[in-house]
Amino acid sequence: MLYLHIPFCKQACHYCDFHFSTSLRQKGALVDALIREMELRNDYLSERVLSSVYFGGGTPSLLDEMELAAIFKAIEQHFQLEPQAEITLEANPDDLSIEKLKSLRDSPVNRLSIGIQSFAEVDLRSMNRAHQAHEARACIENALKMGFDDFSIDLIYGSPSTSDAQWLENLRIAFDYPLPHLSAYCLTVEPRTALAHQVKTGQALPVDENQATRQFNTLMVEAEKAGFEHYEISNFAQPGRYARHNTNYWRGKPYLGLGPSAHSFDGHSRQWNLANNARYIQLLENTQAEKLPASGLYEIEKLSPAQRYNEQVMTSLRTQWGLDWKLIEPQFQAHFLQSAQEFLASKHLVQEGQTYRLSREGRFLADHIAAELFYLG
Amino acid sequence: MKNIRNFCVIAHIDHGKSTLSDRLLEHTKTIDKRNMVDQTLDNMDLERERGITIKSHAIQMLYNHSDGQRYTFNMIDTPGHVDFSYEVSRSIAACEGALLLVDATQGIQAQTISNLYLAIEHDLEIIPVLNKVDMESAMIDEVADQVIDLIGCKREDILLASGKTGIGIDDIMTAIVNRIPAPKGDPEAPLQALIFDSVFNSFRGVIAYFRVLNGRLKKGDKVKFFHTANEYEADEVGILQLNLIPQQQLEAGNVGYIITGIKESKEIKVGDTITTYANPCPEAIKGFEDVKPMVFAGIFPIDNDDFEDLRDSLEKLQLNDASLVFEPETSVALGFGFRCGFLGMLHLEIIQERLSREFNMEVITTVPNVSYYATNTQSERFMVRTPVDLPDPNYLRTVEEPYIRAQIITKPDYIGSIMTLCMEKRGILTRQSYLTTTRVELTFEMPLGEIVFDFYDRLKSISRGYASFDYQMIDYRASDLVKLDIKLNGDNVDALCALVHRTKAEAFGRRICQRLKELLPRQQFVIAIQAAIGAKIIARETISAMRKDVTAKCYGGDISRKRKLLEKQKEGKKKMRQIGSVEVPQKAFLEVLKLNE
């Protein structure tokens, strides 16, 4: 699994706390640095065969044809792509012109994740999205026209600007398309974002829990009616059309993340790159492979057995496949069984053989339940 | 005896008592200027930092006067706060004179007046001194007028001084010699010595300070303490300079210390009389009181494992502060801790701060309350030190609460708002008198329970700091007090139980319920927060059940961030106290008790 972080955006969405810059000046230099990092760290994963590549951001659809080609050339040079590898690129509607779609179609990219967020102008403006409502629909139609039958759209609910009726409308519009995959996120007020500032100063309302609960419920009902599997808290797929790259995160598979702020995981430790484009570029221009660990490019955290268990509980319970008790390290098995009793009794957890899953009610409280099942040394 | 002068210094906090004392010590060469730490007499760190004297001390100086004679000055330092007024009265009883030290930039304060009255009651010769006269903001004429009004002295009797620059120190010395009478007393009579203070020394045990009124105390004497009826041997007697100077004997009129091997301050009562076993004096010196704590609060360790450490710390504090009392207490909400008794609010604060500073103990202090008398339906009258112990309303006939006489000195501008505050606190104005055209003294009778929280700070803020406050206990009076219980889903939170006046119960209950609503995390079920008097619910808040607690995104970088967040959340839960089904963060107890915010 390979993740590439493209830290540029045309404008800043008010809710976003990912690392990006709205100045595109360094885009070329950053792509060069990213390729350089790939060269330096191509031995991070134990095997070089990739089952998936994911371009995230930021806004990867800001990469031009040449930049994308250079990255793919480097991927081919340092790794081997599986024949059916899933290659996803996050794209914003305003970038997806027919021309752009055609160019992507001719690249190895075989899956798009489109940041629609809403089909309503009022939502898009309150979130400070770069696109307009009509572009939201047009880009889906164009993607389908250009033969992208594998794609996902992102929608956001829970925003004070999104009425219950509007949310239902957004879902109906989405489900009218032959949509294989939907990611639907509850708006979250993250610290140090424009939105957090607006909430603090009274310019924006905080997320209303009752509204968020209602809309999450609507989402589950409507997605099921439309034939989707609710396979992760925020992810819905037509049968078999799961996002393979993301699903592997929740299964604890190792991955290499390249680019500023990107995270990597080798099964035992997690590491994350510094979140500063200029420093990132400068470091990669001047650092040799053997000097990389001490360069300050990334920080590493080795996971203790308890931390690995906690992550396993947290991520696997979010999925429809749940947590397989046999896969828990023996030292935590008893702790799990004991702490799970409360939630089995309250029917937030469901047990089927050795497998534990969140019930429909449990999904509303996934974090609370995970924390209760955690083991603290 | 004719060359001894015993005197104390009466001054308000910050009026420069310690600095002036330092000048006197320097002037008499009692201490070397080079070895001088500012404010030598305040030897606890906390005292030096707050600039107040918590415990009184005594020091002897030798002064060569221009008349060619050498005089012995015993200067007895007095604590400057309302909570310690009994100790002040005993120090005053050990003297023949007092320096009344008034900051010329600020004028007379309430505390000064009550101590001054104590001194006048004991027939002390008062030498008024205006301090800080070198400052630009000094109002010498105006403050001199206040002094003349107060003690009826002549203007020329008032000395002008500056502890900082040393102005007027010679005049003070001369006045001490000429105006303060030499002590009277019969060295041949049976020993009669007044204990006015004691200190704990970890090597020597408890050292008692005394003034010999009659007779003489010799090293090795077998002595008897009148009120405690304990007998000891005088292992060492001596005089107090910066160090203890052993002597063979001390005679009537003098001030000194005695070491008897006593290990606990509790054994020595300030105000007690020392006499000899062989030839006891017929009666004790008047004015002894067994000081009882007036304010009580529970003190609990933040971490229950620290209970034993907290006990050790309190025991050590008690060694040199006999007025602190404590006994173990168990709270459902807070676990094991102690119910502690204090002389007053400042005393409570000092103990809390010393626990934190000297022993590194972080504690939760419950809402302070005063001691009450309850009478049940069987006509049994008994003391109640914690609201939880108050009988059920069905078995309760009356509750009496302590009343104080409070003096507030302020500027006329603030009379209105101070009256409003005191009346809100159930105070009754008994007197209003103008000390000068710009200073007015208000006297109230009010329940002590009303000043234990929320009073000092409000008084300070409504008067912009221009109000000084002092009080004395007067009596216990029957009041319509009710026990207010706070319940979480029906279970009482004992740590938040309070006795309040019926007319205020509802507002108080509502405030606590609202605060708790802000402070308690939501849980999977609805939490009812109620304030109740007996079975009657008078205020209620509801915390709705947690409906949604789930992260939207959980991809690559989100995983470790979210895991850490949830681990922290769980770590916090470990510190929660379970009350019935409800988990309460410890922080909530601390915060909810900060009612004045």
Side-chain angles (χ1 to χ4, degrees):
Chain A
M1 290 167 77
L2 180 64
Y3 174 81
L4 300 129
H5 191 77
I6 310 301
F8 298 101
C9 289
K10 283 185 196 162
Q11 65 187 58
C13 305
H14 285 161
Y15 54 82
C16 182
D17 73 334
F18 289 109
H19 167 68
F20 64 89
S21 162
T22 49
S23 156
L24 308 187
R25 206 169 39 83
Q26 290 181 306
K27 188 154 65 87
L30 194 123
V31 169
D32 292 344
L34 193 78
I35 290 169
R36 171 81 176 137
E37 191 191 0
M38 197 186 301
E39 181 189 323
L40 294 174
R41 295 181 63 201
N42 62 20
D43 58 352
Y44 180 82
L45 299 171
S46 55
E47 54 175 330
R48 297 201 183 194
V49 182
L50 300 176
S51 60
S52 62
V53 176
Y54 195 102
F55 290 84
T59 313
S61 52
L62 288 175
L63 292 174
D64 61 30
E65 203 174 301
M66 302 288 286
E67 290 162 341
L68 205 54
I71 293 171
F72 277 115
K73 194 176 155 213
I75 291 174
E76 274 164 33
Q77 195 182 331
H78 298 290
F79 300 97
Q80 196 189 329
L81 284 167
E82 273 180 13
Q84 301 300 317
E86 177 194 85
I87 300 169
T88 308
L89 181 123
E90 287 180 349
N92 275 349
D94 45 310
D95 291 330
L96 293 181
S97 59
I98 293 281
E99 215 167 56
K100 180 75 180 181
L101 282 161
K102 210 167 150 216
S103 136
L104 288 171
R105 180 71 283 179
D106 295 337
S107 79
V109 172
N110 55 24
R111 187 172 179 274
L112 294 178
S113 172
I114 309 174
I116 301 281
Q117 317 312 354
S118 174
F119 294 103
E121 200 61 38
V122 57
D123 287 336
L124 297 172
R125 294 291 68 79
S126 90
M127 294 173 191
N128 199 37
R129 294 288 300 174
H131 67 279
Q132 294 178 318
H134 69 89
E135 292 174 299
R137 285 167 179 263
C139 74
I140 299 178
E141 283 152 22
N142 289 340
L144 285 166
K145 207 189 299 177
M146 297 310 294
F148 270 103
D149 57 357
D150 198 2
F151 69 101
S152 174
I153 66 168
D154 287 355
L155 292 177
I156 292 180
Y157 65 92
S159 164
S161 63
T162 313
S163 65
D164 289 356
Q166 180 59 54
W167 176 236
L168 188 61
E169 177 69 8
N170 276 347
L171 291 172
R172 295 227 168 112
I173 295 171
F175 295 154
D176 273 349
Y177 294 111
L179 185 69
H181 190 280
L182 164 71
S183 297
Y185 302 111
C186 184
L187 180 68
T188 309
V189 182
E190 299 286 356
R192 292 180 298 278
T193 56
L195 180 59
H197 181 74
Q198 289 170 349
V199 169
K200 204 173 147 195
T201 55
Q203 300 166 61
L205 290 167
V207 175
D208 177 71
E209 193 191 23
N210 290 329
Q211 179 199 337
T213 307
R214 282 196 312 272
Q215 295 186 354
F216 186 45
N217 198 52
T218 305
L219 168 66
M220 290 197 281
V221 170
E222 293 302 314
E224 194 181 344
K225 276 199 248 167
F228 283 85
E229 283 178 30
H230 186 184
Y231 74 102
E232 197 262 354
I233 297 288
S234 304
N235 286 280
F236 299 80
Q238 289 293 333
R241 306 296 296 274
Y242 318 115
R244 278 141 57 198
H245 183 90
N246 287 343
T247 301
N248 281 333
Y249 285 135
W250 307 319
R251 292 196 167 132
K253 294 279 194 295
Y255 53 90
L256 170 62
L258 302 176
S261 82
H263 283 240
S264 303
F265 176 57
D266 66 2
H268 304 280
S269 67
R270 296 197 179 272
Q271 65 184 67
W272 51 96
N273 286 350
L274 60 88
N276 179 310
N277 292 357
R279 288 269 298 137
Y280 174 83
I281 293 166
Q282 191 199 4
L283 260 171
L284 283 154
E285 270 171 4
N286 301 317
T287 308
Q288 301 305 308
E290 62 277 11
K291 299 220 172 109
L292 206 56
S295 67
L297 175 68
Y298 48 72
E299 285 180 68
I300 301 188
E301 178 189 34
K302 191 164 164 39
L303 297 181
S304 68
Q307 289 168 330
R308 286 213 299 272
Y309 159 78
N310 292 347
E311 290 190 353
Q312 181 184 24
V313 167
M314 183 180 77
T315 55
S316 64
L317 282 182
R318 290 175 65 92
T319 70
Q320 65 172 355
W321 302 285
L323 176 60
D324 184 344
W325 184 75
K326 294 188 301 302
L327 297 182
I328 298 176
E329 281 283 313
Q331 65 188 108
F332 304 114
Q333 285 177 340
H335 169 80
F336 175 83
L337 286 182
Q338 204 175 6
S339 10
Q341 289 315 308
E342 177 192 345
F343 298 106
L344 288 169
S346 63
K347 301 212 163 42
H348 286 105
L349 269 184
V350 186
Q351 183 185 4
E352 235 175 88
Q354 303 269 45
T355 304
Y356 295 79
R357 292 187 185 87
L358 291 178
S359 67
R360 195 175 190 281
E361 289 68 40
R363 285 180 168 160
F364 287 90
L365 299 175
D367 285 8
H368 171 72
I369 295 166
E372 290 295 306
L373 298 173
F374 272 16
Y375 183 89
L376 298 182
Chain B
M1 210 187 325
K2 71 176 179 46
N3 284 5
I4 294 178
R5 296 293 180 271
N6 298 321
F7 63 95
C8 58
V9 185
I10 294 169
H12 188 71
I13 297 164
D14 288 338
H15 280 200
K17 178 169 68 173
S18 299
T19 316
L20 186 88
S21 304
D22 290 348
R23 290 298 89 75
L24 298 181
L25 296 178
E26 251 174 53
H27 199 84
T28 54
K29 301 188 175 60
T30 310
I31 45 171
D32 199 310
K33 202 163 185 172
R34 282 168 308 169
N35 298 333
M36 189 95 181
V37 179
D38 269 352
Q39 303 184 9
T40 309
L41 286 187
D42 292 344
N43 54 19
M44 269 198 270
D45 274 356
L46 192 59
E47 290 185 354
R48 198 161 289 147
E49 202 164 293
R50 290 193 162 194
I52 53 171
T53 309
I54 296 163
K55 294 282 291 174
S56 55
H57 305 271
I59 194 160
Q60 189 170 93
M61 298 171 254
L62 297 174
Y63 172 62
N64 297 314
H65 192 46
S66 52
D67 65 5
Q69 299 200 48
R70 172 183 261 213
Y71 290 85
T72 301
F73 285 0
N74 289 307
M75 178 169 70
I76 295 172
D77 202 15
T78 53
H81 191 276
V82 285
D83 290 352
F84 303 98
S85 53
Y86 173 70
E87 294 195 22
V88 176
S89 81
R90 296 304 82 203
S91 296
I92 283 172
C95 300
E96 280 78 32
L99 300 182
L100 170 64
L101 189 68
V102 183
D103 185 331
T105 68
Q106 293 186 48
I108 290 188
Q109 305 291 320
Q111 180 60 39
T112 319
I113 294 188
S114 58
N115 285 350
L116 175 67
Y117 288 157
L118 272 176
I120 293 172
E121 243 171 71
H122 284 84
D123 280 334
L124 264 52
E125 175 66 33
I126 311 291
I127 302 175
V129 180
L130 301 194
N131 195 21
K132 306 191 189 177
V133 293
D134 57 318
M135 307 253 297
E136 233 166 72
S137 52
M139 312 169 287
I140 297 173
D141 288 338
E142 194 190 327
V143 178
D145 285 343
Q146 291 175 13
V147 171
I148 293 164
D149 282 354
L150 209 57
I151 60 174
C153 64
K154 295 193 199 91
R155 187 168 290 263
E156 55 269 28
D157 294 338
I158 301 172
L159 306 180
L160 303 183
S162 163
K164 214 162 134 201
T165 61
I167 299 171
I169 301 299
D170 276 325
D171 295 343
I172 293 172
M173 293 299 200
T174 304
I176 290 170
V177 170
N178 295 338
R179 284 157 68 175
I180 296 177
K184 296 184 191 79
D186 179 3
E188 306 311 323
L191 173 67
Q192 199 184 30
L194 170 69
I195 298 177
F196 61 85
D197 197 7
S198 71
V199 296
F200 176 78
N201 178 303
S202 40
F203 302 105
R204 315 292 309 267
V206 181
I207 303 171
Y209 296 169
F210 61 85
R211 153 78 194 271
V212 187
L213 295 185
N214 289 301
R216 49 173 64 89
L217 175 55
K218 292 196 285 288
K219 180 179 156 64
D221 275 351
K222 211 166 169 202
V223 294
K224 194 170 97 176
F225 288 14
F226 229 91
H227 290 279
T228 60
N230 290 329
E231 292 165 16
Y232 308 95
E233 197 174 293
D235 295 340
E236 183 178 316
V237 295
I239 54 168
L240 298 142
Q241 292 190 351
L242 264 202
N243 300 311
L244 304 175
I245 317 273
Q247 306 282 313
Q248 281 311 306
Q249 65 168 17
L250 273 107
E251 278 196 8
N254 215 343
V255 170
Y257 69 89
I258 178 168
I259 295 173
T260 58
I262 293 174
K263 292 281 176 256
E264 290 188 30
S265 295
K266 285 189 280 195
E267 280 188 54
I268 290 187
K269 305 267 185 207
V270 168
D272 204 348
T273 305
I274 309 174
T275 188
T276 55
Y277 182 74
N279 183 20
C281 59
E283 57 184 18
I285 299 158
K286 288 191 184 60
F288 174 79
E289 272 176 43
D290 203 356
V291 182
K292 293 278 194 308
M294 290 311 305
V295 172
F296 294 85
I299 291 189
F300 293 84
I302 295 264
D303 187 340
N304 252 333
D305 296 344
D306 294 336
F307 174 74
E308 286 302 327
D309 290 342
L310 177 59
R311 183 203 297 276
D312 284 351
S313 311
L314 286 170
E315 279 171 356
K316 283 187 184 125
L317 284 178
Q318 203 181 40
L319 286 177
N320 58 21
D321 184 353
S323 47
L324 168 70
V325 297
F326 59 91
E327 56 188 30
E329 179 178 52
T330 319
S331 154
V332 181
L334 300 174
F336 294 104
F338 296 93
R339 177 130 287 251
C340 303
F342 310 93
L343 296 177
M345 287 304 286
L346 178 84
H347 191 209
L348 186 159
E349 270 174 48
I350 289 168
I351 296 293
Q352 248 182 318
E353 201 156 330
R354 289 186 66 189
L355 279 173
S356 150
R357 223 178 256 228
E358 295 167 34
F359 300 96
N360 212 13
M361 292 290 316
E362 295 307 325
V363 295
I364 298 177
T365 309
T366 63
V367 185
N369 61 270
V370 297
S371 56
Y372 302 91
Y373 278 105
T375 306
N376 62 20
T377 42
Q378 274 94 52
S379 298
E380 293 161 332
R381 184 174 184 262
F382 49 92
M383 182 171 262
V384 175
R385 292 187 167 152
T386 161
V388 178
D389 292 346
L390 196 75
D392 187 273
N394 295 330
Y395 301 101
L396 185 66
R397 189 168 289 160
T398 53
V399 186
E400 296 156 68
E401 62 176 331
Y403 263 69
I404 55 165
R405 180 173 299 117
Q407 285 93 24
I408 296 168
I409 295 181
T410 187
K411 290 185 174 175
D413 303 359
Y414 303 117
I415 293 177
S417 41
I418 289 174
M419 292 275 294
T420 309
L421 171 66
C422 290
M423 274 149 56
E424 187 200 311
K425 295 287 188 182
R426 296 189 281 136
I428 301 157
L429 181 73
T430 56
R431 206 163 66 100
Q432 176 176 350
S433 64
Y434 280 82
L435 302 174
T436 66
T437 50
T438 57
R439 297 181 82 75
V440 63
E441 183 188 15
L442 303 171
T443 308
F444 291 92
E445 290 182 3
M446 59 199 290
L448 176 63
E450 290 287 348
I451 66 155
V452 296
F453 50 77
D454 205 20
F455 183 77
Y456 288 106
D457 291 345
R458 286 179 61 191
L459 178 66
K460 211 155 120 194
S461 75
I462 59 173
S463 65
R464 312 226 169 112
Y466 285 108
S468 59
F469 174 75
D470 186 36
Y471 70 83
Q472 302 86 38
M473 276 291 303
I474 40 180
D475 50 18
Y476 274 82
R477 296 181 188 175
S479 285
D480 191 8
L481 297 175
V482 290
K483 178 161 78 166
L484 187 75
D485 287 317
I486 301 295
K487 296 168 187 280
L488 293 178
N489 279 354
D491 291 305
N492 275 340
V493 187
D494 55 1
L496 299 178
C497 182
L499 275 193
V500 286
H501 196 260
R502 192 181 297 277
T503 56
K504 297 178 155 198
E506 198 181 319
F508 185 81
R510 205 174 315 120
R511 225 155 119 206
I512 290 206
C513 290
Q514 281 162 356
R515 289 287 279 156
L516 277 175
K517 184 176 179 171
E518 290 159 24
L519 292 164
L520 296 188
R522 290 195 304 162
Q523 291 174 32
Q524 279 169 259
F525 42 82
V526 175
I527 304 171
I529 307 169
Q530 294 167 312
I533 300 171
K536 193 180 160 220
I537 306 298
I538 57 162
R540 183 190 163 109
E541 292 285 341
T542 306
I543 299 181
S544 58
M546 186 195 333
R547 297 194 61 191
K548 192 165 179 288
D549 180 15
V550 51
T551 309
K553 291 197 175 194
C554 194
Y555 303 112
D558 308 313
I559 295 173
S560 54
R561 193 169 57 233
K562 195 67 202 170
R563 192 238 317 138
K564 282 174 198 163
L565 216 72
L566 293 182
E567 281 173 349
K568 214 169 135 193
Q569 187 180 315
K570 172 143 186 166
E571 194 72 53
K573 279 198 76 166
K574 281 206 317 204
K575 288 193 191 137
M576 294 210 196
R577 305 286 174 133
Q578 187 92 24
I579 294 172
S581 55
V582 183
E583 281 169 330
V584 182
Q586 235 165 7
K587 198 181 92 223
F589 289 104
L590 282 169
E591 294 296 315
V592 80
L593 301 178
K594 289 185 187 160
L595 281 171
N596 33 358
E597 275 163 28

